[in-house]
Amino acid sequence: MSEQAVTYVRRLTIADQRAKQVLVLLAERTEIRSAPRDAEIPEIMGLELSPADIPGLAARVGLDHEGFRAQLRGLKQHVRMDVLEHGDGVWEIVYGPSYTDRQLTAPRPSVVSEGNVDGLHAFWLPGWDRYSTWGYEEGLDHYYARIIHNSDDRDAEPRIWITPPRYVARTIDELAQAVAEAIAPYEPIPMPASIIKMYMTKPPASR
């Protein structure tokens, strides 16, 4: 169990007690394999639920299977987070202070590489730079990205979500390639992965 995740969730102001009960239950299952700096709560946390997990979790909060799934779908109405329901029945849930406390807009002081990728990073591609972020799950050893168009609502489902099980990006180059392919239908001229990588790793002032 992650005491940090549970502490974070218990501090949230959620009027709907059933929703908070479900979120605390998810926090108990959240695994944080790398210690955050200065013993603070990590900026971003997450977990995956398989179809086999649902019955036991539903029973713990007194719901049937579909009632529990409905609670999962409705969590974003109570707190800013990502709740993704994949076609194979796997749920991917990502949350944390980076969602609820502030928006990541300040450029990083240096170019990001595999050697200093720690934390959550902005995606500076014009038209997609207001809400989009990417990062690295150290304990799970993969990169991820949530790409949101500037014209979309911040709380809407990301147009592009690069994450397992559909994508398993082990390097920044692999992540950039996946983003380039996924973003191509939305751009008048498809961009090569090298350009996408530049907008991921180089703040505007560094170019």
Side-chain angles (χ1 to χ4, degrees):
M1 181 177 78
S2 170
E3 294 182 2
Q4 294 162 317
V6 173
T7 297
Y8 165 75
V9 168
R10 292 193 184 281
R11 290 175 181 171
L12 295 174
T13 302
I14 302 176
D16 188 308
Q17 291 305 304
R18 177 55 63 85
K20 187 160 189 175
Q21 186 181 18
V22 169
L23 192 51
V24 168
L25 187 61
L26 298 178
E28 291 176 355
R29 294 176 60 90
T30 298
E31 295 184 9
I32 299 174
R33 297 182 175 89
S34 59
R37 293 180 178 179
D38 302 323
E40 295 178 353
I41 294 172
E43 288 291 301
I44 188 166
M45 299 173 280
L47 70 155
E48 289 187 0
L49 300 179
S50 71
D53 295 324
I54 300 298
L57 295 174
R60 286 188 60 186
V61 291
L63 293 170
D64 60 23
H65 302 180
E66 190 50 45
F68 186 78
R69 293 187 182 94
Q71 285 292 322
L72 292 178
R73 296 184 188 107
L75 284 177
K76 292 199 302 182
Q77 299 174 14
H78 305 286
V79 60
R80 285 182 171 175
M81 61 192 303
D82 278 318
V83 179
L84 302 176
E85 183 178 4
H86 296 287
D88 58 1
V90 172
W91 292 78
E92 185 161 12
I93 299 164
V94 185
Y95 63 99
S98 64
Y99 285 76
T100 54
D101 295 350
R102 56 189 175 274
Q103 177 183 336
L104 180 64
T105 55
R108 294 293 176 108
S110 62
V111 176
V112 182
S113 67
E114 266 87 2
N116 64 358
V117 74
D118 179 60
L120 193 66
H121 301 272
F123 179 51
W124 287 283
L125 179 66
W128 303 84
D129 55 343
R130 186 172 296 168
Y131 309 121
S132 301
T133 56
W134 68 277
Y136 178 65
E137 290 281 3
E138 184 174 344
L140 302 177
D141 191 30
H142 69 78
Y143 291 84
Y144 63 90
R146 54 190 299 272
I147 309 299
I148 304 171
H149 195 270
N150 288 357
S151 63
D152 293 341
D153 187 294
R154 175 181 175 173
D155 295 325
E157 202 74 22
R159 293 201 191 188
I160 298 169
W161 182 261
I162 307 296
T163 186
R166 184 175 180 184
Y167 300 95
V168 183
R170 300 298 188 188
T171 67
I172 293 177
D173 286 330
E174 289 179 1
L175 180 65
Q177 182 63 47
V179 172
E181 293 173 0
I183 211 171
Y186 301 101
E187 292 294 313
I189 301 176
M191 297 184 186
S194 59
I195 298 298
I196 295 296
K197 181 180 179 180
M198 179 188 73
Y199 282 112
M200 288 169 47
T201 60
K202 293 185 179 182
S206 300
R207 295 180 205 138

